[in-house]
Amino acid sequence: MISVNGNEISADKRQLLIDACEQAGVYIPRFCYHPRMRSVGMCRMCLVEVDTGRGPALQPSCMVEVSEGMKVETESPAAQKAQEGVLEFLLVNHPLDCPVCDKGGECPLQDQTMAFGPGESRFVESKRHFAKPISISSQVHLDRERCILCDRCTRFASEVAGDPLIHFIGRGSTTEINTFPDEPFSSYFSGNTVQICPVGALTASPYRFKARPWDLAESHSTFPNPMGDRIVVESSRDQILRYQGMDSDAVNWGWLSDRDRFSFQAGSHPDRLTEPLMRNVAGELVPTSWNEALDAVAGMVAAAVETLGAQSVALIGGAHLTCEAQYAWAKLAKAVWGTDSTDAQLDDGLAAEVVLGLPRATINEACSGTVILMAADPKEEIGTLYLRLRPAAVVGEVTLLEITPTDTGLSDVATRSLRVLPGDEPLVVEALLADDPTAYIRSAGTRGKLGITPVSDIVALSELLKEKVGEARDESSEVGGSKTGDPETGDSAISTSPLTVIFGRRSLSESPDVIATAASKIAEAYPHARFLPALRRGNVHGALEMGLAPGLLPGRTLLEENNNWYRSIWGSVPAQKGSDTASIIEAAAAGEIAVLVCLGADPVRDFPSKQLIDEALAVGTSIISIDAFPNDTTKEASIVLPAAAFGEREGTHLNLEGRLTPITKQVNPPGTARSDWMIATELARKGGFEWDFASSEDIWEEIAEIVPRFKGISSKAVRNNPEGVLAGGADVNLRISVPTPEPTPHDRYALRLVVNRTVYDNGTLVSHCPSLAPLAQPASARLNPAVMRELGISEGDTVSVASSATPMNIPTTSDARVPEGVVVIAHNHTGADPRKLIESDRTVTVVRISTEPVT
């Protein structure tokens, strides 16, 4: 118990005084303090009188931990005078340009000057001036004269993002914030510094001078990415003008990646699809009415089902939709059209049975204990997961173990890292989990199959894993923060660390069975381990739960075993398991798919095998594209239906840990674009099914009534809980049956191809954002410097990269983070398309490099 202004309050042990007071309803002004970063006590705005038994003294409340019997006065004359003095000094050189400052109206300095300041200024001299603004990155501008040296931006950049690109320079009264010479603030997360800046020193160019806070209407929503970042959507004049991070303790802590934060610009891009389009007799896409377009779609589907059967209709995509829209489309495809060939992943993820069949961890669980990372670089693909993991690893809350083909953004804070050639992960994990890894490798004859992974590194990581988590397959060890030892005597009680495995597809050129097999082996060895699937597409976890996957009905219900319940509710379900995206495209290339519905998906640009998608396009399958933006697939479509984008529709989002959070509608869609669930409902009506859906809430009511996993969870509960609802329900995890991939022989003269993704590419969203599109770099083949020397290649040289598929020319980049034996080419960049090299029928793609470009 402590006393605050004469009132007794309770506080947690080691809690900071500033937090304890705020928790009790007593606000202490502050500038430099931020609850998600370490305290530095720089601004001194939070000075209060503290008496710990030796008499009262002024102390910064952000640096003092509570202690029993502490007496605190936050409004004493001494505290008030100190706060007035701090504000007076801060305003000595601070410009009084509030009317033209982007922070005006939401500025803590303004608010606290009015609430805690002296009331008038004694300063009459000229203020300091700087050239303004300085563009320290393509998104962030710096007004140095406004800076109050709170150290928030520099702490975030170094502590949280791991990008120490902005720092203090100068001394004394000449101290200022700036970047290093010739080095811009090129962080993927620079927009967070703008949001946490307590003055207008840092401003965002996409929002600069667009509106005032009092002009903005706002709503709390969820950004459609795998983390389900909680955000505030702000709009004016029916146009979204800003996204702000919302502090969610369970999810993103208020952080956002720049790619997501500034993506609001795409919504008002002039290229938006605003009306239905249909191909005329001349082969041109021309505007048409909704009724005519929907009649045409319904007629195409009916004709295909009648002549070729239900499996001649296929649906791919849907990962960016709300859960309600995903349910409506799954019900349309499986109950109305009768096809089970539905897949929300474009052959760039993992099988639904693997994702749903492993026990799920929460994000908070993944930020403590022992974590094995077997996924793509979170910094590139799931930015806010990276922002949660990195600080936890830095302070020692996480023992991070990497098993990846290349360095990641977390490699510098990982406790141990194993570099594994693509395709070798199952072998390495088997050795890692063995009682004696060295003996296992020798006896199994595995040594020659491990490629670049040294046995000593496997042994070291194995010993560390056993030290932290316990022996593999030891059923007496309760992994998860409990104790191990003799249950009868209680001897040798040793605390163990919980184990979380973050797994996902690292490369488009590697079979998904590779990571699935490796993850399954860990699950078998450590029954109490928890898994966090790092799939990259927006609401893909909602799509899988809602049945947009072959062989599944909503709520992880197997089509082949438990379909009677849905048959009684829906009236019909498919007769047989359908195909995934790869099989759908193969069937289309063989002329077996008559109608292909692309639901917010662009397979022409995104499907991993370029050769196969080209063959499918040549056959002439009727493509129905439902999207908010034109893309390569809409150019090939017979009918294009305009859909509402994020911020223009409402519903529910399910993130990678299974947390349901609301998506709110903030503005109206352009033209006659409609929400996806409305399109599905209309197509069902034209197919003879009258669904009683008048809103997304009506759809959720049906989901909460019939889907076992979400039974009883009301839309009101999801909306009213700031942290959303973590979907639990019965543990209905699926059986996992993964074919073990054949090991790929090693070839000293060949390299294994990694086709990864980057934050900024030529994807639909980035290319429609003016501030993000220029950040996409041209394609290049990243090689280890030693490999380049051996081949006689210099930086920037154009080489020929060839597999058994089509060879291609591409410039080279030297990158020490890429191990020998690997070549990395990013997907969806200008200059070269690595999908031409991918051998989809093999576990990994092996390529050879020639210094002679092909002609």
Side-chain angles (χ1 to χ4, degrees):
M1 297 293 292
I2 64 173
S3 172
V4 178
N5 297 337
N7 300 315
E8 295 288 324
I9 68 169
S10 60
D12 298 331
K13 186 178 180 181
R14 305 202 68 179
Q15 187 176 22
L16 289 176
L17 179 57
I18 193 171
D19 290 332
C21 290
E22 186 167 9
Q23 187 175 297
V26 178
Y27 180 77
I28 299 175
R30 78 292 298 266
F31 292 116
C32 69
Y33 175 72
H34 192 283
R36 300 303 185 185
M37 297 184 288
R38 66 181 176 89
S39 298
V40 290
M42 290 190 66
C43 71
R44 289 318 204 219
M45 190 63 207
C46 66
L47 286 171
V48 294
E49 277 197 294
V50 180
D51 186 355
T52 58
R54 300 181 180 180
L58 285 172
Q59 297 190 48
S61 57
C62 70
M63 300 293 288
V64 177
E65 295 180 354
V66 297
S67 60
E68 185 64 34
M70 176 184 285
K71 295 181 179 179
V72 182
E73 292 291 335
T74 67
E75 300 173 352
S76 67
Q80 289 180 344
K81 185 173 179 61
Q83 291 166 358
E84 289 178 1
V86 168
L87 284 166
E88 189 171 22
F89 276 116
L90 287 178
L91 293 173
V92 163
N93 276 307
H94 193 88
L96 301 180
D97 60 351
C98 301
V100 297
C101 177
D102 256 5
K103 203 75 173 183
E106 56 183 7
C107 175
L109 181 59
Q110 275 185 330
D111 298 339
Q112 293 183 35
T113 298
M114 297 299 294
F116 303 99
E120 62 182 72
S121 174
R122 296 179 289 174
F123 189 77
V124 295
E125 288 78 14
S126 296
K127 294 178 181 284
R128 182 174 55 192
H129 297 284
F130 292 103
K132 56 185 291 186
I134 298 174
S135 295
I136 59 175
S137 77
S138 58
Q139 286 91 22
V140 179
H141 292 309
L142 169 64
D143 286 286
R144 289 171 291 170
E145 58 201 31
R146 295 177 184 162
C147 179
I148 61 172
L149 305 180
C150 68
D151 200 27
R152 279 191 174 191
C153 57
T154 59
R155 277 180 289 153
F156 172 84
S158 60
E159 295 174 14
V160 181
D163 298 324
L165 301 171
I166 184 170
H167 211 276
F168 290 120
I169 62 174
R171 299 182 65 184
S173 61
T174 63
T175 304
E176 62 183 72
I177 290 289
N178 216 320
T179 57
F180 297 99
D182 301 320
E183 290 191 31
F185 188 26
S186 53
S187 171
Y188 292 165
F189 314 104
S190 62
N192 293 288
T193 63
V194 175
Q195 180 171 337
I196 64 177
C197 180
V199 291
L202 295 174
T203 53
S205 57
Y207 174 73
R208 192 175 171 90
F209 302 140
K210 290 292 193 302
R212 290 299 185 195
W214 51 83
D215 293 328
L216 297 174
E218 67 176 41
S219 63
H220 293 176
S221 190
T222 305
F223 193 85
N225 61 19
M227 280 283 283
D229 292 334
R230 301 289 286 130
I231 66 171
V232 179
V233 181
E234 298 177 334
S235 65
S236 180
R237 302 177 297 278
D238 206 32
Q239 181 179 341
I240 295 176
L241 296 180
R242 185 167 64 171
Y243 294 151
Q244 295 276 62
M246 178 179 163
D247 196 339
S248 170
D249 188 67
V251 187
N252 58 314
W253 283 15
W255 311 134
L256 291 175
S257 71
D258 286 357
R259 181 184 185 276
D260 297 341
R261 180 183 295 275
F262 300 121
S263 64
F264 69 86
Q265 301 169 85
S268 56
H269 197 280
D271 280 355
R272 281 290 303 272
L273 296 172
T274 59
E275 56 187 343
L277 305 173
M278 194 155 58
R279 204 166 291 278
N280 61 16
V281 292
E284 301 171 333
L285 282 173
V286 296
T288 187
S289 68
W290 269 101
N291 197 48
E292 187 176 356
L294 292 173
D295 281 341
V297 173
M300 283 183 183
V301 172
V305 171
E306 183 178 353
T307 57
L308 299 175
Q311 296 305 320
S312 66
V313 178
L315 184 152
I316 57 178
H320 294 284
L321 276 56
T322 64
C323 292
E324 291 85 347
Q326 290 164 347
Y327 175 85
W329 276 96
K331 185 176 181 179
L332 173 68
K334 301 191 177 190
V336 178
W337 295 345
T339 179
D340 188 53
S341 294
T342 59
D343 192 4
Q345 303 182 84
L346 269 66
D347 199 36
D348 58 358
L350 298 171
E353 289 82 357
V354 176
V355 177
L356 303 178
L358 293 169
R360 194 70 61 93
T362 65
I363 297 167
N364 283 336
E365 287 173 345
C367 294
S368 62
T370 301
V371 174
I372 297 177
L373 178 65
M374 295 195 308
D377 188 350
K379 189 173 184 179
E380 296 285 348
E381 296 206 359
I382 310 180
T384 42
L385 179 60
Y386 165 83
L387 293 179
R388 290 292 310 274
L389 284 170
R390 191 182 189 281
V394 168
V395 301
E397 294 176 357
V398 164
T399 300
L400 182 62
L401 312 177
E402 277 190 333
I403 305 177
T404 55
T406 63
D407 281 10
T408 73
L410 294 169
S411 294
D412 63 326
V413 297
T415 308
R416 283 279 179 183
S417 295
L418 282 184
R419 292 295 161 257
V420 182
L421 285 180
D424 287 356
E425 291 89 345
L427 294 173
V428 171
V429 168
E430 276 188 9
L432 185 70
L433 298 174
D435 295 334
D436 185 345
T438 304
Y440 172 83
I441 291 171
R442 288 173 179 166
S443 64
T446 310
R447 180 66 197 96
K449 304 175 184 177
L450 291 179
I452 61 172
T453 311
V455 175
S456 59
D457 287 357
I458 295 176
V459 172
L461 194 146
S462 177
E463 291 175 352
L464 180 61
L465 186 62
K466 291 170 183 175
E467 174 191 336
K468 294 292 183 179
V469 183
E471 294 287 339
R473 303 178 186 85
D474 184 358
E475 296 293 343
S476 66
S477 297
E478 298 181 9
V479 179
S482 54
K483 295 182 178 180
T484 62
D486 190 330
E488 296 183 3
T489 64
D491 293 339
S492 302
I494 302 173
S495 179
T496 60
S497 170
L499 175 62
T500 302
V501 180
I502 301 175
F503 71 107
R505 187 85 168 268
R506 286 95 55 88
S507 170
L508 295 179
S509 54
E510 181 183 67
S511 167
D513 293 339
V514 171
I515 288 300
T517 301
S520 300
K521 289 180 183 297
I522 297 175
E524 181 182 350
Y526 290 103
H528 300 282
R530 292 293 178 265
F531 294 79
L532 201 63
L535 305 181
R536 61 173 299 275
R537 294 189 178 273
N539 191 19
V540 63
H541 300 280
L544 299 182
E545 294 280 5
M546 294 301 159
L548 283 180
L552 286 180
L553 296 170
R556 306 185 181 182
T557 302
L558 289 171
L559 173 66
E560 57 194 23
E561 292 182 0
N562 306 306
N563 57 36
N564 288 335
W565 167 250
Y566 279 98
R567 182 176 286 110
S568 66
I569 298 296
W570 283 1
S572 175
V573 293
Q576 60 187 23
K577 182 177 179 178
S579 303
D580 60 10
T581 300
S583 299
I584 290 171
I585 301 300
E586 288 176 2
E592 299 171 1
I593 299 294
V595 178
L596 177 62
V597 179
C598 296
L599 193 55
D602 185 9
V604 176
R605 177 70 68 92
D606 278 346
F607 184 70
S609 175
K610 173 68 172 170
Q611 179 180 351
L612 192 57
I613 193 68
D614 287 345
E615 291 175 3
L617 291 175
V619 171
T621 299
S622 296
I623 297 176
I624 313 299
S625 180
I626 302 168
D627 216 315
F629 300 93
N631 53 46
D632 288 359
T633 299
T634 60
K635 296 175 184 177
E636 305 291 337
S638 302
I639 299 174
V640 179
L641 302 179
F646 174 70
E648 302 164 358
R649 59 195 181 199
E650 59 184 15
T652 307
H653 182 278
L654 188 77
N655 75 351
L656 76 178
E657 66 177 352
R659 186 175 299 275
L660 288 163
T661 47
I663 291 177
T664 56
K665 179 181 177 180
Q666 186 66 17
V667 297
N668 293 308
T672 61
R674 298 182 181 181
S675 294
D676 300 273
W677 69 264
M678 294 181 180
I679 300 173
T681 302
E682 278 296 304
L683 288 173
R685 185 179 64 81
K686 291 185 178 294
F689 288 74
E690 291 290 341
W691 292 348
D692 192 20
F693 296 153
S695 68
S696 62
E697 287 191 6
D698 292 341
I699 302 176
W700 186 261
E701 285 182 10
E702 180 168 310
I703 294 171
E705 180 181 353
I706 72 170
V707 179
R709 189 161 179 80
F710 306 106
K711 210 166 186 62
I713 300 177
S714 68
S715 58
K716 183 178 180 180
V718 175
R719 287 197 313 271
N720 293 347
N721 190 332
E723 299 291 340
V725 177
L726 190 61
D731 188 5
V732 289
N733 294 324
L734 304 175
R735 299 188 314 271
I736 302 175
S737 177
V738 181
T740 302
E742 286 293 327
T744 300
H746 291 277
D747 185 343
R748 183 179 180 278
Y749 301 100
L751 301 172
R752 295 198 182 180
L753 176 66
V754 171
V755 179
N756 65 352
R757 294 180 183 270
T758 59
V759 170
Y760 303 119
D761 57 15
N762 294 324
T764 301
L765 193 65
V766 171
S767 61
H768 285 87
C769 295
S771 69
L772 300 180
L775 299 176
Q777 299 298 310
S780 67
R782 291 165 49 208
L783 293 164
N784 186 277
V787 174
M788 295 184 67
R789 286 194 299 271
E790 184 177 347
L791 294 173
I793 302 171
S794 300
E795 176 87 14
D797 286 353
T798 297
V799 298
S800 168
V801 182
S803 64
S804 62
T806 306
M808 70 177 190
N809 296 331
I810 187 170
T812 57
T813 299
S814 177
D815 191 343
R817 298 173 301 169
V818 177
E820 297 181 42
V822 172
V823 56
V824 179
I825 305 176
H827 170 57
N828 210 358
H829 288 251
T830 55
D833 189 348
R835 297 181 302 157
K836 295 178 180 178
L837 301 170
I838 294 176
E839 302 165 319
S840 56
D841 58 338
R842 303 197 179 190
T843 302
V844 296
T845 296
V846 178
V847 299
R848 295 178 184 272
I849 293 181
S850 170
T851 56
E852 296 294 330
V854 295
T855 56

